[in-house]
Amino acid sequence: EAQVTQNPRYLITVTGKKLTVTCSQNMNHEYMSWYRQDPGLGLRQIYYSMNVEVTDKGDVPEGYKVSRKEKRNFPLILESPSPNQTSLYFCASSPLGQGDAKEQYFGPGTRLTVT
Amino acid sequence: AQTVTQSQPEMSVQEAETVTLSCTYDTSESDYYLFWYKQPPSRQMILVIRQEAYKQQNATENRFSVNFQKAAKSFSLKISDSQLGDAAMYFCAYRGNGGSQGNLIFGKGTKLSVKP
């Protein structure tokens, strides 16, 4: 089954304790992205990757890191989480290239609480 | 920079009735794509419908259809014969076809309630 998986689905942590949220897709997509969703703000892009070893900042990259060492994986790293990073996080992937609209496939979301 | 605006934070519709959700966007690009995503209480993001800007014909998917007005930069979603399962957050999204062609820009969402 074609899917994007995220782990963990729920996480409660304390300020300053490094954490990683994993994201994996099995569709051989070039493009992957991380979003955070906050009430009243919609989804905002954190980082994205156009292919292996190619990453770039989105609209709200502060406090986050990413890496893309393999095509299927795109982990999100919070080196020193703070309470303002409490949010719902989504990973997404899509193919690239010209042609028909390429929808993004979303993971199930990770609910992160930083106390 | 492109922006997407959903002016209706909340909407309500009676079961079996029709409702229209509004979306406007701003862009200087001529080639782009527009999407409506549904987010039910499970929080999963589900693609409802997509529209390619170069296509004049409005997209339709069963009870869901769009009114795409390219000159006015408007992309509204019409839900016909509303069902209880349509209750969700709906997000309008824009994707350009330029350098960062994968990036989706979302509106802030419209919460749709369906009354039995």
Side-chain angles (χ1 to χ4, degrees), chain A residues 62-112:
Chain A
E62 293 77 20
Y64 304 94
K65 287 176 58 178
V66 294
S67 68
R68 187 91 181 273
K69 293 182 169 53
E70 304 168 284
K71 197 171 187 179
R72 64 183 293 126
N73 296 323
F74 190 46
L76 179 69
I77 304 158
L78 285 73
E79 297 257 351
S80 182
S82 62
N84 64 13
Q85 292 178 298
T86 293
S87 188
L88 176 61
Y89 291 85
F90 285 100
C91 181
S93 74
S94 78
L96 283 177
Q98 302 302 315
D100 290 340
K102 303 292 191 299
E103 71 173 279
Q104 289 197 8
Y105 295 80
F106 283 82
T110 295
R111 171 67 72 185
L112 172 65

